[in-house]
Amino acid sequence: MSGGGEEEATLEHTPTWVVALVCTVIVAVSLAAERFLHYGGKFLKKRDQKPLYEALQKIKEELMLLGFISLLLTVTQNGITKICVPPGFTHHMLPCDSNEGEGEKSKTPISHFQSFFSSPDISGTVRRLLAEGSSSSSYCARKHKVPLLSLEAIHHLHIFIFVLAVVHVTYCVLTIFFGGLNIRQWKHWEDSIAKDNYETQRVLEPKITHVHQHDFIKGHFLGFGKDSVLMGWLHSFFKQFYGSVTKLDYTTLRHGFIMTHCKSNPKFNFHKYMIRALEDDFKQVVGISWYLWIFVVLFLLLNISGWHTYFWIAFIPFILLLAVGTKLEHVIIQLAHEVAEKHAAIEGELVVQPSDAHFWFHRPHFILFLIHFILFQNSFEIAFFFWILVTYGFDSCIMGQVRYIVPRLVIGVFILVLCSYSTLPLYALVTQMGTHFKKAIFDEHVQVGLVGWAQRVKKKKEHRNDHSGQGSSHDGSSSVGVQMASIFKRASAPEGNPPPPKPEGSV
């Protein structure tokens, strides 16, 4: 394709053994990947890890989306390369200026990702951004125009989308894995509580707790007034870097949750429930939502020479992560202040009152959205760096200067460590302090049984109302069934609803 204008061989002039060999390798690799995901799903179902299984299904959905994107780019690439525009349209919003681009002409036919916005001049100084002998180049050249996007640029875009998805899934898995290891270390706290605090005599033994003398209050109550508010936020900011969750925090928040949502079952395994809830949220984090693709397009648009866009946007997840960690720590302080301001002494153990009012927009679930965006944004930064490194090299002008590259990498590693060590464990614990419990409070078989039973009772009640014209007040199971369906529905959608009734029996 270079030099003498030799054309590439089409499939009709390619040896059949080459076609068969390449096809065999591609099919074998694809089937192996599909079988790996299939047996991985069977293993997770066998281990009764439904949330992780659903996360795996989410990954398969993303792979299917990537396959469709790949097919769409392949089918439409010839048409895209024959969309011609005036040369002046390609002289603006370049990721590399013309001087930087000239220095790399000898390295590759397509300069950089600037092919999104730039193309060769039709005049004598062609930049070699398009492959020599390309039919699309000749097609547009005859019209004294340039292609909107070159064939090689489409291939590079294709690779970038795949790399972004793979890096995002890998990054999320690593964050959840290391964060989960930290959370699972709390199991010995749960076992210790179950061993020491739940004997019958101790539960029934009357006790007066002086609130301001309680260790939890002394560690988080900073007095009254504006100074205490400022000190509370500063304390929250720095605490996320060391001992973000202490045993006292875990014990107090756990007790508040149990006394609010399952008071009749003091032996409720809060740690196991918290792990199930985190695994349930993981399947949302691992996917790439539509609004995240909008951010990808926006960041690609703003990658203009001299703006150092990817340096500045690296601070977005960094700042957001610090804000999320500070807010989660501050919720613990708010819980302590709420008790200390209302009581001087109470009968029994200290009980904090969970409430959505402590969270942004009164929605604990909003924290999950921010963590999702933080992980994706950081994944995007890392994916873009490695894609440029492999595709164009470290010296590429689109890579940027070293003084802008190093801070981006440092921030990426810092976010991974802080999110795994501090923010994710804080999220798993503190977001249980909302008004509503999550549906993970029920075991999987209990969830299925409750929903099925409640739906049958509700249909039975509706059927009787249709025939009798009055409510089935004589059948108490109908009202109970509808109530249980309401409880489960509100547990699944924790924001915007009134608090659910407390479960009467063991959870």
Side-chain angles (χ1 to χ4, degrees), residues 86 156 194 322 342-343 393 401 449 494:
H156 290 173
L322 295 180
K342 291 181 179 179
H343 306 283
Q401 302 175 13

Side-chain angles (χ1 to χ4, degrees), residues 342-355:
K342 291 181 179 179
H343 306 283
I346 58 176
E347 182 179 353
E349 295 289 340
L350 180 75
V351 179
V352 296
Q353 181 61 46
S355 173

Side-chain angles (χ1 to χ4, degrees), residues 74-91:
T74 302
V75 171
T76 61
Q77 64 183 13
N78 289 333
I80 293 175
T81 55
K82 290 187 178 181
I83 298 177
C84 305
V85 297
F89 284 14
T90 64
H91 295 163

Side-chain angles (χ1 to χ4, degrees), residues 171-407:
Y171 190 85
C172 289
V173 169
L174 289 176
T175 302
I176 298 294
F177 175 75
F178 290 119
L181 288 180
N182 194 7
I183 295 171
R184 282 177 170 81
Q185 292 178 2
W186 302 347
K187 188 178 184 301
H188 70 276
W189 294 346
E190 184 77 26
D191 296 339
S192 175
I193 296 170
K195 180 179 179 181
D196 298 338
N197 296 338
Y198 289 142
E199 295 111 1
T200 304
Q201 293 181 353
R202 183 168 299 186
V203 172
L204 298 178
E205 181 182 355
K207 177 183 178 181
I208 301 297
T209 299
H210 297 281
V211 173
H212 291 270
Q213 300 302 317
H214 195 279
D215 291 338
F216 178 77
I217 300 299
K218 289 193 294 185
H220 296 91
F221 183 65
L222 304 175
F224 302 94
K226 296 182 179 179
D227 291 340
S228 67
V229 174
L230 178 60
M231 290 299 298
W233 283 106
L234 290 176
H235 176 79
S236 301
F237 176 80
F238 289 106
K239 189 174 181 293
Q240 65 180 308
F241 300 110
Y242 65 92
S244 57
V245 176
T246 64
K247 181 179 180 179
L248 187 59
D249 293 338
Y250 178 84
T251 303
T252 305
L253 269 58
R254 173 192 180 279
H255 185 64
F257 177 89
I258 291 177
M259 295 302 292
T260 301
H261 298 302
C262 44
K263 188 175 182 179
S264 60
N265 184 21
K267 294 185 179 182
F268 173 68
N269 194 324
F270 178 73
H271 183 268
K272 186 177 180 180
Y273 154 71
M274 190 173 57
I275 292 292
R276 288 202 304 267
L278 181 63
E279 291 175 345
D280 221 16
D281 292 335
F282 171 63
K283 64 187 179 186
Q284 302 181 42
V285 174
V286 76
I288 303 179
S289 304
W290 61 270
Y291 51 84
L292 296 179
W293 285 111
I294 293 178
F295 283 111
V296 171
V297 175
L298 180 63
F299 294 147
L300 292 176
L301 176 67
L302 298 178
N303 183 32
I304 300 174
S305 177
W307 286 23
H308 306 294
T309 304
Y310 292 105
F311 172 76
W312 298 113
I313 65 174
F315 289 93
I316 296 177
F318 175 73
I319 295 173
L320 282 178
L321 186 67
L322 295 180
V324 168
T326 302
K327 178 59 179 177
L328 291 173
E329 290 284 4
H330 194 256
V331 169
I332 301 178
I333 290 181
Q334 286 178 294
L335 292 171
H337 274 246
E338 191 176 65
V339 176
E341 291 172 355
K342 291 181 179 179
H343 306 283
I346 58 176
E347 182 179 353
E349 295 289 340
L350 180 75
V351 179
V352 296
Q353 181 61 46
S355 173
D356 287 349
H358 299 310
F359 296 88
W360 284 318
F361 309 112
H362 293 188
R363 295 192 175 190
H365 199 72
F366 181 68
I367 300 292
L368 181 64
F369 166 79
L370 292 179
I371 292 178
H372 190 188
F373 176 76
I374 289 167
L375 294 181
F376 176 78
Q377 178 56 49
N378 211 42
S379 302
F380 177 82
E381 280 279 329
I382 296 174
F384 193 83
F385 170 80
F386 283 106
W387 174 69
I388 294 296
L389 181 65
V390 173
T391 305
Y392 303 113
F394 189 82
D395 295 330
S396 170
C397 66
I398 201 172
M399 178 69 80
Q401 302 175 13
V402 175
R403 68 174 181 268
Y404 293 109
I405 298 173
V406 174

